[in-house]
Amino acid sequence: MAYKSVLLEVTDGVATVTLNRPDKLNAFTTPMAGDLIAILRTVGENPDVRCVLLTGAGRAFSAGQDLSDPAMAFGEDGQGPDIGLVVDGCYNALVRTIRGLDKPVVAAVGGVAAGAGANLALACDIVVAGRSARFIQAFVKIGLVPDAGGTYLLPRLVGRARAFGMALLGDAVNGEQAEAWGLIWKCVDDEALIDEARALARSLAAGPTGAYAAAKRALDASAANTLDRQLDLERDLQQARGKSADYREGVAAFTEKRPPRFSGR
Ligand code: T3D
């Protein structure tokens, strides 16, 4: 199936998914969000894909919701749009899809990531950004509240004070600051961004995919779990990992002093 505003390329176990409306800084229209959801679901089911790399074409990751999208327009009667429908159908669905993927998702953020664009990047498992990247909770500038999981993720990533600062002021946080604050995993030189992100994605694609999926599930569950319930969850996940081909291979490789060849099973 051909997608217009999102590109997909699968190589070496990595699905590179590129937001592709560079003239609009990869701002999301409803059809574009639909394309991205469909692509993520497709790669989720493709056993040849063991890691997803999400990035943007041109000088942005994404400027968030396309403000010229008809779904955003006020009606002739002066009534505001039902933004809740867009949030539910596009951004909530996207964040749920990314969090539900049982393979790692890496975001490579070059340039601006604003509004829902910023929060979609932050919803990925590992975020690498160029030094001149700009993370902007732009919502407040147009009288909206952070969405796409922002109000959940921000305080957990950077703490309450910085989350409030970002959400209420809408100032840009650059790549270096984002790394220093723990908003993202790593900041790299702009020119090195895509190569570094690809290398990371390739190495994850050669790793123990099931262990990554289990870690993702446990880390996500930890925010709402008691320590007791989390310990039980870890036991159950580890029990399953103990019976996996990758655990067998990992231990064999360690014993034989050779690099492991993980199959992802
Ligand atoms: O349905 C719902 O609304 C609910 C969901 C909401 C989720 C959200 O994401 S709300 C937040 C929406 N995003 C924004 O408010 C960001 C708006 N954009 C900006 O503030 C700035 O463009 C940036 C800070 C992102 C980048 O600034 P700069 O100076 O680097 O670039 P620019 O010149 O402003 O933009 C370049 C072009 O992209 C320009 O088009 P033109 O004039 O060259 O034809 C600009 O209009 C376009 N563009 C940028 N962002 C958007 C956009 N077009 C449509 N929608 C955008 N969000």
Side-chain angles (χ1 to χ4, degrees), residues 25 59 63-67 72 83 86 91 116 134 139 147:
L25 302 187
R59 69 178 181 92
Q65 172 66 34
D66 187 322
L67 299 174
M72 295 292 294
I83 295 184
V86 180
Y91 302 111
R134 289 179 286 161
F139 309 89
D147 63 18

Side-chain angles (χ1 to χ4, degrees), residues 40 51-54 97-99 101 103-107 123-127 204 216:
L40 291 174
C51 181
V52 178
L53 174 61
L54 181 61
T97 305
I98 290 169
R99 296 317 314 147
L101 277 181
K103 28 195 109 174
V105 184
V106 176
C124 296
D125 300 316
I126 295 188
V127 186
L204 288 166
K216 184 165 172 168

Side-chain angles (χ1 to χ4, degrees), residues 21-28 59-60 62-69 71-72 81-87 91 112-118 134 136-142 144-145 147-148:
R21 298 183 72 224
D23 52 326
K24 293 285 180 191
L25 302 187
N26 305 317
F28 276 91
R59 69 178 181 92
S62 167
Q65 172 66 34
D66 187 322
L67 299 174
S68 61
D69 191 60
M72 295 292 294
D82 187 342
I83 295 184
L85 288 178
V86 180
V87 169
Y91 302 111
V112 73
R134 289 179 286 161
I136 310 175
Q137 295 295 314
F139 309 89
V140 70
K141 308 267 187 192
I142 53 169
L144 294 181
V145 58
D147 63 18

